[in-house]
Amino acid sequence: QQELKVALVLPGPISDGTFNSAAHQGIKAAEQKYKIKVSIQENTQSAQIEAALTRYAREGYAIVIGHGFQFAEPAKKIHKRFPKTWFIVNTAKVAAAPNLASFDNRWGDAGYVAGAVAASVSKTGTVGHIGGIPVPVIQEYQEGFERGAKRIRPDIKVLTAVVGSFSDIAKGKEITLSLIERGADVVTATGNENVVGTIQAAKEKNVMAIGTAFDSAALAPETIVTTAIIRMDVNIDMAIGLVSSKKIEPKNYLLGFKENGVDLAPYRAFESKISDANKARIKQLIEDIKAGKVADLPKIR
Amino acid sequence: MDQIFFVGLVAAAFRLATPLVFAALGEAISQRAGVLNVGIEGIMLVGAFAGAWGSAATGSPWLGLGVAIAAGAAAAAVHGLLCLHFRVDQIVSGIALTVLGLGLSGYAYRLTLGSDRGVAIPSFARVDLGALGELPVLGPMLFQHHLLVYVALALAPLLWWFVNRTGWGLAIRACGEEPAAAHAAGIDVLRVRWGCVLVGGALAGAGGAYLSIAQIGNFVEDMVAGRGFIAIACVVYGRWNPFGVLLAALFFGAADAAQIRLQALNPDVPYQFFVMAPYVLAVGALVFVSRRSRLPAALGRPFTPPR
Amino acid sequence: MDQIFFVGLVAAAFRLATPLVFAALGEAISQRAGVLNVGIEGIMLVGAFAGAWGSAATGSPWLGLGVAIAAGAAAAAVHGLLCLHFRVDQIVSGIALTVLGLGLSGYAYRLTLGSDRGVAIPSFARVDLGALGELPVLGPMLFQHHLLVYVALALAPLLWWFVNRTGWGLAIRACGEEPAAAHAAGIDVLRVRWGCVLVGGALAGAGGAYLSIAQIGNFVEDMVAGRGFIAIACVVYGRWNPFGVLLAALFFGAADAAQIRLQALNPDVPYQFFVMAPYVLAVGALVFVSRRSRLPAALGRPFTPPR
Amino acid sequence: MAPPLELRAIGKRFGDLVALDGVDLAAGAGEVVGVLGENGAGKSTLMNIASGLLAPDSGEIRIDGSARTFGGPRDAAAAGIGMVHQHYLLVPSLTVAENIMLGDPRLRSLRPDLRRHGAEIEALARRVGLPLDASARVAHLDIGGRQRVEILKALHRGARVLILDEPTAVLSERERAQLYEVIRALKRAGVGIVLISHKLEDIFAVCDRVVVLRGGRVVDAAAIAERGGDALVRAMVGADPPAGPAKAAARGATLLSVHDLEARRDNGAAAFAGVSFELHEGEILALAGVEGSGQQELAEVLAGLRAPVRGTCRFRGRVLAGTGAHRRRAHGIRHVPHDRLRNGVLPRRSLAENFLLAHWFDAGFRRRGLLRRRRAGEITRTLVRDFGVRGAPGGPLGALSGGNQQKLVVARELWGDASLLIASHPTRGLDVRTVAALQAALIERRNAGLGILLISSDLAEIWQVADRVMVLAQGRLRGPVPVGQTSLQEVGAWISGA
Ligand SMILES: Nc1ncnc2c1ncn2[C@@H]1O[C@H](COP(=O)(O)OP(=O)(O)OP(=O)(O)O)[C@@H](O)[C@H]1O
Ligand SMILES: Nc1ncnc2c1ncn2[C@@H]1O[C@H](COP(=O)(O)OP(=O)(O)OP(=O)(O)O)[C@@H](O)[C@H]1O
Ligand SMILES: [Mg+2]
Ligand SMILES: [Mg+2]
């Protein structure tokens, strides 16, 4: 079998510690596993996307992965011109014959479980979510977070706020502080660097945090209860695997707990601090989600 | 391989330069009349949204473009009102306009297109230039673009002629250099400045619309991503001359196109170097080429007719 | 509840205003001498990285701050070299500096701290003001901040005094108003401008370091997130007067603190309105308060002594 | 026949200040009306009203006998009123033709024929004796050239009345004579002219009638033949003209000795070469010449603002090397710059700060880093009193009239232990009384041992105050010679290069 050329086009820097780092780690893992040659482009602005995708396709890359929903339209626009290339868009719902597929994670499900965990461990009955910029997946996560929390504790108060930037770590921290001021004792955040600010604030104020997307428990082991992991590496692994085995179809692959595209990290330092009943409840919830038994999961946008 | 690289690069350069050309020419006109508009970024965003919305609502990208142009002019009118009428500092007003444009376009998007992801946004098709487009190398490089790309290229000579060869252009230059002299000669300085501010806004709106309804076919919050500021830099690099401005915009477009390509070819060189390179080059060129500032003498200074 | 809201708001206002105060005061000094530096954003990023790196390398946040100040001055020296020595347009040089600062800080971070995520970055602790900090309401509002917050607040009167009451200050103002007159009076215009550019860069560096080694205790790419541009707005809103600049920065800090609180209280109002509100308010105030531009007359204009 | 321009009972206030109070003035076709008055008498204000730049508070403007209101300068131009402002209103980056055509309705087309207009302008210029290249950039013209553009601009718009605000203040003797010829030619062509000047010789040379303003009112109006110079000066200042200053021989040791000095202009061209002279304590050495012959550059070299190409300057025997006005000021070398508005003052700052600008490095004005502002304020107040600077002392310097700004600059430079004063046109644009007072002050300081290099294009002034005179022409120095041992004719010949 001949070596596949795979390109990963990222909207941000690989060092952001969340969204882009996750994709970077995924492709690194795939590099070990498959016989592929990888090229990565960072910090691609929306207007450069078309040019970037076109160029990789023209240079004969077999797989071009656009990491973010903003890659959907440009990919849709050009994919027909390069039938030998598979265009894969992450965190979007777009598909078109013959060679455009997308892989999306069920962020809403992840938020649902995160909300359930938050409600289980909260003492004040107030929890908070801080979004970077309310793009669809972040809105889904937020919706899931609220519903999951309410499922465990119908009287829970869920505070939400938006940073207005993915990179403004200082403002992410301040917003989190303001939610903590108002009683939140479990906080979670979605976005890029702004998530780090939320974790910082939680650490400083001795409240709990739930990580998202990327397991960064090492940043604050005493603060991070668990992480609602979005397995971007699984998306990438699946995409490359399906293309290699020629089994890929031009459709939207939606990955949830069942497909291992969403996961809950181990409790680590909190293992002993969470009651077994609560742990069992969460475990059961995840099983129910896998089994399709949870009715109020957020709608996929 | 090398030829593919080059063809792709030139084609991408035109695509990436076009929004800069529109916005920078608009800014140049405004600055030539003495009004600095650092809010061009916000106006482009308004234009990008208005273009997408208008196109989706009417089903025609041409009408969408019209809506974007009107919206751009309206956004610029805020700047005109603040600076020309209320005499607020131009930098203050421009910064406010940037933030306003970002907020309003994002909010309006959420209210309209964003709430309904199924809406199709009709976009400009590429022009079909027949045989020209089929030419082996030149075809993909030069003759397979959106019409707006050619409009942008044609705008530069048009504006040059307008500014340097017509009576209106003379009045504009006079207002930017010595408004008191223009006023004494019977020119209505405020009216000339108003006109240029509106035209500048309309062009910036068109630049934004190019992004949303020609290049991408979608609107994304903050999709202008700093192009408004680069457009201002293009005006300065281009020494306030429409041809110079066009060249500067093409340079940045080409640099961006090259940067994207070289990044992929040299994965070991950190991407930051590719991002910085055009600016370093451009500044370096300025150090050697032209040290004389051709800044319009009255740029940024308000003028009130004595009475 | 209301009291908690208010106490938290005031405390957050000071924290959010501090980097703006540093950077805006630095920019004000530079502009008073006639040099516009729109690259403050890039310099703050350099300062933020240098502070984090210096602090991690030496183990002392104070030494980190020193490194940040030196790095900020060094970054500003690039601007000085280009504008004062090579007479490149100040806006062009500033935009290049912004991009350069973003690229270099991101790259250097990856080479050093970023490659080793385990490195601890020693950060400033909050000062312990004893009984003051224990005061019921005032304590958390005013007396539990990082030392740098108080330094920033003290800088404004200090700079005011320097600019308005000392001979050096007179020289600075003369260079910003009528460099030719300053030159004729025996003032070395270039040297004064150089000094102010470097001081401005040092302060912007300190503002960046506040973000990384006091407020956050970490560095991330692009963490300044537009604060450099808001600092420039503060200078203009503050009418180039250090007290005015301080007030403007506190206003933006308070507006931001209020914005993030009101957002959570009013989840139905789109967040864009909260983001835009301070700018709209500030422009509105300017329309009513002061229409007279106090722009240093020679701002942005190069000066060459006759040869 | 009604005159083309008639102003009746014009009143204008600026805040509390009554600038004009019931002023009448008429200019008939082919008539030259002189307007005299001290600085701030209201001359420029009146003419700004006549040319539509300002609106009067009361009174009326009549054109050919019918009352009109001007909404702006365009209306005035359409009514045949043209004005050449004291500070020229030209766009330097445009050409002569473009400047003249600016605002012309014929330009409001997409394809204006600037070449044809240019030819028209050149033809007009030849007719009135003002040769000009219509395609030259105004930025490249000298001050006389710019004035010619302003005059042509007005004429080209069909001005039947031409208002000239202090046109001769900036001209050399030769350019002045040329201007007289132009005025006479226009008069013959039936153009009415209003000529504002502080110089009586201008009035006597070309005017038919004269109007004198004082404090915003007309204090005298008569045919020129009915008035002598003394009477006009008395009307202007409201008192007897001041007596000429007394000179005392007080020449002392050599203060400044210049040897083989050579310098360039801003554009790199040679300004002068081989300049050598000496200046003594207690003498006024005048430097005459057509403006632009290198006087400004010489003053700048001596003041330390411009580096010479070669040559040496010694001050009290010590070589002054390099540049650095700072150090020279410490030696007591002071300088009243040529372009005082640009090089001398901070218009938006107070009088006291403008004083400090030249003195803040004196130890006397600093105490532990702080400026002694109170002391500066006191000194400024005495200077304002002693030199009769008129205007609100609390406001910014820019609110003073140009002449009053000038007084403050000279006063500032003379203050303290000055030992050498380089003064470029210190009395330019001042009214008669102030000129006399300033000249008296210069002579008094000379008698007390100050050495003065007086750069002036006014030979009468030189004869009145200077001990010796020299001339820079064609890059060479002629003289110096004692004023008593030469004649106006001889110096005039040096200046004209004969
Ligand atoms: N825009 C203005 N605002 C306030 N005061 C003014 C203004 N214009 C003129 N004045 C005042 O009106 C008076 C008349 O000024 P004007 O310029 O007419 O004097 P002038 O006779 O032309 O003097 P000069 O001989 O100095 O040119 C002065 O006292 C001046 O201070
Ligand atoms: N902003 C202002 N505020 C108050 N007065 C002003 C202002 N601007 C100009 N003036 C007044 O307008 C008058 C005309 O100013 P200008 O500089 O033309 O004087 P000038 O005619 O050159 O005076 P001079 O003959 O003394 O040189 C001055 O008397 C000045 O006091
Ligand atoms: Mg006057
Ligand atoms: Mg005058």
Side-chain angles (χ1 to χ4, degrees), chain C residues 37-168:
Chain C
N37 186 349
V38 296
I40 224 80
E41 173 92 5
I43 299 181
M44 286 179 83
L45 273 166
V46 167
F49 165 72
W53 177 81
S55 179
T58 64
S60 149
W62 285 106
L63 290 179
L65 179 66
V67 174
I69 286 174
V78 174
H79 189 60
L81 197 72
L82 289 171
C83 300
L84 301 177
H85 189 68
F86 288 114
R87 310 193 60 220
V88 168
D89 291 284
Q90 297 180 2
I91 294 184
V92 168
S93 165
I95 292 181
L97 196 59
T98 302
V99 180
L100 229 68
L102 179 60
L104 286 182
S105 62
Y107 174 58
Y109 172 70
R110 264 193 229 175
L111 280 191
T112 53
L113 306 171
S115 61
D116 179 4
R117 306 207 116 236
V119 177
I121 297 174
S123 296
F124 284 103
R126 282 155 210 280
V127 287
D128 185 357
L129 293 176
L132 279 179
E134 310 285 300
L135 286 178
V137 175
L138 292 179
M141 257 165 43
L142 304 177
F143 303 116
Q144 295 182 5
H145 291 296
H146 290 109
L147 189 58
L148 286 183
V149 173
Y150 305 107
V151 172
L153 294 177
L155 261 179
L158 200 75
L159 278 183
W160 184 89
W161 170 84
F162 181 72
V163 168
N164 289 294
R165 288 288 177 269
T166 70
W168 290 107

Side-chain angles (χ1 to χ4, degrees), chain A residues 89-233:
Chain A
V89 183
N90 260 343
T91 69
K93 286 106 193 160
V94 61
N99 61 343
L100 172 60
S102 62
F103 285 78
D104 202 1
N105 310 76
R106 295 187 181 269
W107 283 73
D109 296 10
Y112 197 93
V113 172
V117 173
S120 307
V121 298
S122 171
K123 295 191 181 67
T124 60
T126 305
V127 297
H129 168 246
I130 298 98
I133 291 176
V135 296
V137 290
I138 287 183
Q139 286 172 311
E140 279 168 36
Y141 181 91
Q142 171 164 327
E143 216 173 299
F145 187 74
E146 283 181 44
R147 290 183 192 178
K150 292 233 153 78
R151 177 189 181 99
I152 299 289
R153 259 180 91 167
D155 65 332
I156 199 148
K157 209 158 126 208
V158 181
L159 303 173
T160 61
V162 171
V163 180
S165 156
F166 284 133
S167 66
D168 196 339
I169 176 171
K171 202 181 274 184
K173 179 174 177 185
E174 278 298 338
I175 294 195
T176 310
L177 288 176
S178 81
L179 298 191
I180 295 170
E181 252 166 43
R182 302 199 41 233
D185 68 343
V186 187
V187 289
T188 185
T190 43
N192 290 348
E193 288 94 336
N194 60 303
V195 174
V196 182
T198 292
I199 291 170
Q200 285 268 351
K203 191 168 152 188
E204 196 174 300
K205 291 287 171 194
N206 270 322
V207 304
M208 292 168 274
I210 297 175
T212 51
F214 192 70
D215 190 354
S216 45
L219 270 183
E222 299 302 319
T223 304
I224 297 180
V225 179
T226 180
T227 297
I229 302 178
I230 307 291
R231 299 288 302 266
M232 247 79 77
D233 52 335

